[in-house]
Amino acid sequence: MIRTEEMLLNVGPQHPSTHGVFRLVIKIDGEMIIDAKPVIGYLHRGTEKIAENLQYTQIIPYTDRLDYLAAMTNNYVLCHAVETMMELEIPERAEYLRIITMELGRIASHLVWWGTYLLDLGATSPFLYAFREREMIINLLNEISGGRLTFNYMRVGGVKWDAPDGWIEKVKAFIPYMREQLAGYGDLVTGNEIFLNRVKGIGQYTKEEAMDYSLSGANLRCTGLAWDLRKNEPYSIYDRFSFEICTADTGDAWGRYQVRIQEIEQSLRILEQAVEQFPETGEVMGKVPKVIKPPKGETFVRIESPRGEIGCYIASEGKKEPYRLKFRRPSFYNLQILPKLLVGQNMANLIAILGAIDIVLGEVDG
Amino acid sequence: MSEKDKEQLKKEAAEKARAAAQRKREEREKKKEKSNDSASEMPQTTEDVTSNQDLEKQKAAAAAKAKAAALAKKKAKEAEGTETEPTANQDLEKQKAIAIAKAKAAAAAKRKAKNANENGDSEKAKAIAAAKAKAAAAAKAKGKITQAKETEVSEPITPSPQQPILDRYLNIVKEHYKDDILEDSYINRMSKHVPTIVVKLEHYYSLALLFKQHSGLHFEFLSELHGTDFETYMEIYVHLYSFKNKQSVALKVKMDRENPRVDSIASIWPGANWPECEAYDLLGIQFTNHPDLHRIMLGEDWVGHPLRKDYEPYDVEV
């Protein structure tokens, strides 16, 4: 007689494959997951509460620490919200610098995901390639902002620093290099049969489920819905560039992989056009009052971060500090579907499913 | 420590925090009253002016200043009077005196209004010019924000491009409900012209359901849900999007601050599950019929709800 019983298994919060301090309590019956309960909040720093006592410019460094793999988009969403409230005009050159840094950040973020996801699946070398290329982007961003991870680069009304001499040329030179490497990634991983067997049909959901669970970014696009805020609700100067919305129709981990890899290529396309159109001269900071006081009222803006739809809600009383600040953090929303995806799956697929969602715990916990 | 003791401790802590919050609120109100009293006299009372004595002193000082200014004005007028008199001999001595008097007058005027115009013929003209300059400077200082505001107020407001969409929403709502279930509806110009609908608390759930299921609305995507403590009431803000119609709507509901309770919409949009937990955790809003309402960020043993405006942090160590 074989005796079977359920077992409670605790994953994390300190575990490398959870990409941060994420805890998961799962119930297993043999090899099958029958229940899963995510436990979050280990990295909750109360950013929204802290922000209530800070002036808008002082909040920008805190946004760096939400999604620390793509801090530029976080910087931008706050500035964009304040600028929308105050109806500020942003100089051309600043807009281009913003786009260039944000798209570089998007590539860097997808590279980290690509490297660590394959590491999760047991392939060590892609990680090294990904971080080699990412390092070049980090160096570029370091040169313009003075930071490698937390840039604190954007300001309400523009950006803090102008591009140093020769920086645009460096970005220009990086684009063909990255293209070549991207093709190499395809040879190394994308066609690999072991990899394909590992990710195809894993963590699958339909378009309706994705919409129900408020998924966004690659998690939504992998179900075939062409939805990208850069294209559908253009902000900044994204309407000037031609690029495509990358989609897949499988709705599984393989689909998400394809979408992210294609997005690197599309970001390179945007970068190519942006450095081409980059204005020779001009201001990088618009005409902004010394003390930033958005008028009384409220705003909610959303933009496309590498992880999905990041939003910023501000309720202002016309003071220097926001009355209430709220970030719509894509990782927080995307992670909700995890228990649904895990139940009924084999234990071995746990990490493959979690990794494919692409979460950053700084963003999940706020 | 037994469970009971813990419970007791927690209760005490909550009591303490509440008392502290109450104290703070009272203090704030007191301050407000005081500043209201002095608002008519003083340009802006600073934080440290709290006692009446100080106020009295400042008032006296202001009066003294006004007196001095009046004296200076008088003197200046006299000086100017001598200036306008036709001078027969061009005595150097006299010219000097006039110059001094002029300078004095200018200084007085300057003290009175910072941007006095020295070219003015009479004191009156000077004052007018000064007032003008002051107004211009003030307008400049206020900057773009007020400019935008002023133009919005003075110009006849052009209807928002989103107005027809809001009207369409309202018509659909009217078709489905006999009574008026909305508190308010408007275009939020500051939020990229999003149509905003404020619904009465008891109809929040049914309207949300209509928003998702009605083919003309079809909001299948919940983009954002959060709560805000507006001190007199609590508010839930929901941002919905329809991929089918390519339209957004902001749905709001207000509730009592002391006992905030609202229906959960997690059964309509499963994506609302965690955001509602977050609102419960940080603001203390109760969501009825929520599948698993728990303190998602801070843990069940946390005392108080930090995003409430009267929150007092409680630390066992302190």
Side-chain angles (χ1 to χ4, degrees):
Chain A
M1 259 308 261
I2 303 167
R3 196 173 61 91
T4 62
E5 68 178 30
E6 289 170 4
M7 190 175 117
L8 207 64
L9 183 71
N10 183 59
V11 185
Q14 311 290 346
H15 190 276
S17 65
T18 59
H19 301 276
V21 276
F22 173 58
R23 183 171 162 224
L24 192 62
V25 184
I26 54 174
K27 216 183 265 175
I28 46 176
D29 183 4
E31 286 280 295
M32 300 300 271
I33 300 171
I34 53 171
D35 193 18
K37 192 180 179 330
V39 183
I40 62 169
Y42 291 96
L43 200 57
H44 181 70
R45 293 146 296 180
T47 309
E48 286 155 14
K49 182 72 182 175
I50 297 169
E52 284 176 11
N53 294 313
L54 295 176
Q55 297 183 14
Y56 289 93
T57 315
Q58 293 174 317
I59 302 169
I60 296 168
Y62 284 87
T63 65
D64 285 329
R65 283 142 184 91
L66 292 174
D67 179 356
Y68 41 75
L69 292 181
M72 283 295 180
T73 31
N74 293 20
N75 274 192
Y76 181 72
V77 75
L78 177 71
C79 296
H80 185 50
V82 179
E83 284 156 9
T84 307
M85 284 187 111
M86 297 173 73
E87 296 173 12
L88 293 178
E89 283 214 15
I90 317 303
E92 284 273 294
R93 200 176 161 91
E95 289 279 30
Y96 276 99
L97 283 171
R98 283 175 170 191
I99 298 275
I100 292 170
T101 50
M102 279 198 287
E103 290 308 319
L104 282 173
R106 193 182 308 273
I107 296 172
S109 168
H110 282 338
L111 283 176
V112 173
W113 174 79
W114 184 75
T116 53
Y117 186 54
L118 285 155
L119 199 61
D120 286 349
L121 298 183
T124 325
S125 40
F127 179 77
L128 302 173
Y129 287 104
F131 270 63
R132 185 184 64 191
E133 268 74 80
R134 176 176 178 262
E135 189 64 23
M136 297 178 76
I137 297 175
I138 296 288
N139 283 339
L140 283 171
L141 294 177
N142 188 8
E143 208 175 314
I144 200 170
S145 71
R148 283 172 53 86
L149 208 60
T150 52
F151 307 111
N152 190 16
Y153 178 58
M154 300 200 192
R155 292 290 180 278
V156 175
V159 294
K160 178 69 182 163
W161 314 104
D162 201 349
D165 288 342
W167 190 79
I168 293 295
E169 277 65 43
K170 282 183 195 165
V171 176
K172 230 179 243 179
F174 172 74
I175 298 165
Y177 170 80
M178 188 62 223
R179 277 230 169 89
E180 207 186 312
Q181 296 304 317
L182 200 58
Y185 294 173
D187 296 340
L188 185 67
V189 179
T190 312
N192 186 313
E193 210 175 319
I194 304 168
F195 169 70
L196 290 179
N197 284 330
R198 193 80 187 80
V199 290
K200 273 190 178 170
I202 296 295
Q204 201 159 19
Y205 47 76
T206 63
K207 194 195 284 182
E208 284 67 35
E209 282 167 343
M211 291 190 285
D212 273 350
Y213 276 87
S214 299
L215 303 189
S216 52
N219 293 301
L220 182 61
R221 287 192 283 272
C222 73
T223 60
L225 188 71
W227 177 252
D228 190 321
L229 288 165
R230 290 178 292 173
K231 199 93 174 178
N232 298 85
E233 285 182 6
Y235 51 91
S236 189
I237 50 166
Y238 272 110
D239 47 354
R240 295 186 196 174
F241 308 113
S242 70
F243 63 98
E244 279 150 34
I245 304 175
C246 314
T247 57
D249 46 15
T250 49
D252 55 4
W254 167 233
R256 271 157 268 175
Y257 176 90
Q258 285 173 303
V259 169
R260 291 198 180 102
I261 288 291
Q262 286 166 21
E263 266 182 23
I264 299 182
E265 169 56 31
Q266 295 305 321
S267 287
L268 288 172
R269 265 180 77 182
I270 296 173
L271 276 178
E272 213 167 30
Q273 296 165 56
V275 292
E276 209 51 60
Q277 301 169 13
F278 191 69
E280 291 282 310
T281 52
E283 294 287 310
V284 294
M285 196 68 193
K287 286 196 173 51
V288 180
K290 253 201 185 126
V291 180
I292 295 157
K293 282 185 188 171
K296 192 172 172 4
E298 57 183 2
T299 192
F300 177 67
V301 297
R302 40 191 199 147
I303 65 163
E304 193 74 28
S305 98
R307 254 151 284 281
E309 188 180 308
I310 185 165
C312 180
Y313 168 91
I314 296 176
S316 167
E317 297 263 276
K319 291 196 179 121
K320 289 180 287 187
E321 305 89 7
Y323 183 79
R324 168 92 162 97
L325 181 79
K326 173 76 171 61
F327 289 105
R328 187 233 190 246
R329 311 179 305 273
S331 294
F332 179 67
Y333 283 80
N334 290 347
L335 191 57
Q336 284 188 84
I337 201 171
L338 184 68
K340 182 180 159 53
L341 298 182
L342 289 181
V343 172
Q345 288 283 338
N346 199 299
M347 256 284 288
N349 287 336
L350 166 74
I351 299 302
I353 292 170
L354 174 65
I357 297 176
D358 187 17
I359 50 165
V360 166
L361 262 297
E363 196 174 61
V364 172
D365 291 341
Chain B
M1 200 188 290
S2 72
E3 272 303 303
K4 224 176 178 180
D5 286 348
K6 248 188 200 165
E7 248 348 87
Q8 188 62 34
L9 256 176
K10 228 165 133 184
K11 240 183 223 164
E12 272 172 22
E15 205 53 54
K16 245 189 212 166
R18 214 170 292 138
Q22 179 69 23
R23 234 176 8 251
K24 227 184 185 177
R25 207 178 309 138
E26 272 168 14
E27 257 168 41
R28 211 169 30 217
E29 263 159 31
K30 250 186 213 163
K31 242 183 214 171
K32 231 184 235 167
E33 267 170 35
K34 255 175 204 163
S35 64
N36 278 348
D37 280 350
S38 51
S40 54
E41 278 287 323
M42 307 304 291
Q44 263 288 311
T45 47
T46 42
E47 284 266 324
D48 51 344
V49 184
T50 41
S51 73
N52 277 333
Q53 250 181 1
D54 282 11
L55 251 171
E56 215 58 33
K57 250 186 204 167
Q58 286 216 355
K59 261 187 200 170
K65 254 189 202 166
K67 251 184 204 167
L71 215 83
K73 218 176 174 182
K74 224 186 198 171
K75 261 189 192 166
K77 241 183 195 165
E78 275 170 20
E80 226 150 56
T82 53
E83 186 203 16
T84 44
E85 256 174 34
T87 42
N89 56 347
Q90 302 256 319
D91 201 346
L92 251 166
E93 215 42 50
K94 209 172 186 181
Q95 273 202 0
K96 239 187 205 168
I98 289 169
I100 290 166
K102 253 188 190 168
K104 253 187 198 165
K110 222 179 195 172
R111 210 175 310 137
K112 205 183 163 201
K114 266 177 191 161
N115 299 307
N117 196 340
E118 280 190 282
N119 295 331
D121 281 353
S122 64
E123 193 62 37
K124 213 175 184 182
K126 259 185 195 170
I128 289 168
K132 260 187 194 165
K134 207 178 178 184
K140 224 181 190 176
K142 271 186 189 169
K144 213 173 170 182
I145 316 162
T146 36
Q147 246 178 32
K149 247 189 201 166
E150 268 163 23
T151 47
E152 231 178 58
V153 172
S154 59
E155 275 174 27
I157 297 169
T158 49
S160 161
Q162 298 278 322
Q163 191 64 45
I165 295 168
L166 176 64
D167 292 342
R168 206 169 57 77
Y169 295 165
L170 294 179
N171 278 336
I172 293 172
V173 171
K174 235 177 238 164
E175 274 169 33
H176 281 80
Y177 293 93
K178 269 184 255 153
D179 354 310
D180 190 19
I181 61 151
L182 303 183
E183 266 181 37
D184 200 1
S185 63
Y186 54 90
I187 297 286
N188 189 350
R189 282 162 189 269
M190 236 183 260
S191 186
K192 299 189 174 175
H193 293 255
V194 65
T196 308
I197 290 177
V198 188
V199 65
K200 283 178 184 159
L201 184 59
E202 61 271 26
H203 297 289
Y204 169 64
Y205 180 84
S206 70
L207 187 70
L209 199 63
L210 180 74
F211 270 11
K212 182 167 186 193
Q213 289 172 347
H214 192 280
S215 58
L217 300 167
H218 214 271
F219 292 108
E220 67 269 75
F221 186 74
L222 178 133
S223 170
E224 159 78 347
L225 185 150
H226 70 255
T228 306
D229 174 12
F230 280 105
E231 278 172 293
T232 47
Y233 59 90
M234 285 275 185
E235 186 184 274
I236 291 282
Y237 177 101
V238 184
H239 194 97
L240 301 171
Y241 190 80
S242 165
F243 290 115
K244 194 180 147 210
N245 301 327
K246 301 259 179 287
Q247 278 158 12
S248 320
V249 70
L251 178 64
K252 288 177 162 205
V253 61
K254 293 173 182 177
M255 66 205 89
D256 177 35
R257 187 177 179 278
E258 295 317 312
N259 185 22
R261 185 173 281 279
V262 70
D263 288 322
S264 163
I265 53 170
S267 54
I268 306 174
W269 294 278
N273 185 332
W274 283 13
E276 284 184 351
C277 286
E278 198 184 5
Y280 163 66
D281 189 2
L282 302 180
L283 284 154
I285 298 171
Q286 294 282 345
F287 292 88
T288 39
N289 300 326
H290 188 281
D292 176 26
L293 198 64
H294 65 287
R295 302 201 70 157
I296 193 163
M297 292 293 176
L298 302 173
E300 297 299 334
D301 56 351
W302 194 274
V303 179
H305 304 282
L307 279 182
R308 277 175 168 248
K309 289 287 173 182
D310 58 356
Y311 171 70
E312 283 293 326
Y314 166 71
D315 195 337
V316 200
E317 310 277 320
V318 180

